[in-house]
Amino acid sequence: EDNTVEEYADWVNVNDKYYDDLTAKVLGMGDNSTWKRVRTWSKIDEAANANSDYIIMEKLGSDPTAKDEYPQYSDSVKVHYQGRLLPSPTYPKGYLFDSSYQGAFDPAIANPTKMAISGVVDGFTTALLNMRRGDYYRVYIPYQLGYGLKASSSIPAGSTLIFEIRMVDFW
């Protein structure tokens, strides 16, 4: 009655529909080098049938001279990243809930974040395990492979996570 906009109205259903629509779009592209659907690392030995068992990765760039080497689950990485929620009334680009740098990305001044691959949510881990040094991806993580149906800090329950990740190094 006071004209207040509910920022995350019917949020779980909005996120489910968004992710299902994105999955259908990617599957409809066939063999595409820019977009890929990747089964989560944590369901290797299980049947993965639901859309929520997969992340979607959109390649935004890469280092053409990079070796065809990928990190292991026990590795640590150096990455630049930004994490957003789906667009909402107040945040048309999606609420920015975390970032390893301020403002526009500038590789000359941005300091990459170091983290253990095993120390992040399943969807982020899956993305890192599928990136080479120099790769730059936009990664869509369904809430089931993120924080699930519980809120975490400024992230509402049932949120699809959208990350832009630049892989700098791993060891």
Side-chain angles (χ1 to χ4, degrees):
E1 293 176 13
D2 64 358
N3 292 328
T4 301
V5 174
E6 187 175 345
E7 195 69 38
Y8 303 112
D10 199 21
W11 193 238
V12 172
N13 289 327
V14 167
N15 280 265
D16 280 336
K17 182 173 179 355
Y18 179 91
Y19 202 77
D20 287 346
D21 290 349
L22 180 62
T23 298
K25 174 184 165 187
V26 171
L27 290 174
M29 291 179 187
D31 217 7
N32 187 305
S33 61
T34 304
W35 291 84
K36 61 183 175 179
R37 184 173 179 244
V38 181
R39 183 170 65 172
T40 179
W41 73 274
S42 62
K43 298 225 178 188
I44 298 288
D45 297 327
E46 301 173 27
N49 298 320
N51 288 343
S52 61
D53 293 334
Y54 295 82
I55 65 167
I56 294 176
M57 299 178 67
E58 176 189 9
K59 190 175 211 172
L60 301 175
S62 65
D63 177 354
T65 65
K67 293 180 183 175
D68 203 21
E69 299 174 340
Y70 296 87
Q72 301 296 311
Y73 182 76
S74 58
D75 286 345
S76 292
V77 296
K78 274 187 185 179
V79 294
H80 298 288
Y81 70 91
Q82 282 193 330
R84 295 183 180 274
L85 301 178
L86 295 183
S88 65
T90 306
Y91 304 99
K93 291 183 179 180
Y95 174 72
L96 179 66
F97 62 83
D98 197 9
S99 182
S100 65
Y101 55 91
Q102 298 294 317
F105 178 71
D106 181 349
I109 60 172
N111 191 19
T113 297
K114 297 175 190 175
M115 63 181 71
I117 291 178
S118 61
V120 294
V121 297
D122 277 3
F124 202 92
T125 296
T126 301
L128 294 174
L129 292 172
N130 285 277
M131 293 179 71
R132 301 173 311 145
R133 289 176 181 92
D135 279 351
Y136 172 34
Y137 277 91
R138 182 173 298 122
V139 180
Y140 300 84
I141 302 171
Y143 65 84
Q144 296 89 339
L145 300 177
Y147 295 103
L149 291 174
K150 62 182 180 200
S152 178
S153 187
S154 61
I155 302 171
S159 292
T160 297
L161 308 176
I162 304 171
F163 283 97
E164 286 194 11
I165 307 170
R166 292 173 168 87
M167 175 68 78
V168 177
D169 199 7
F170 56 86
W171 61 97

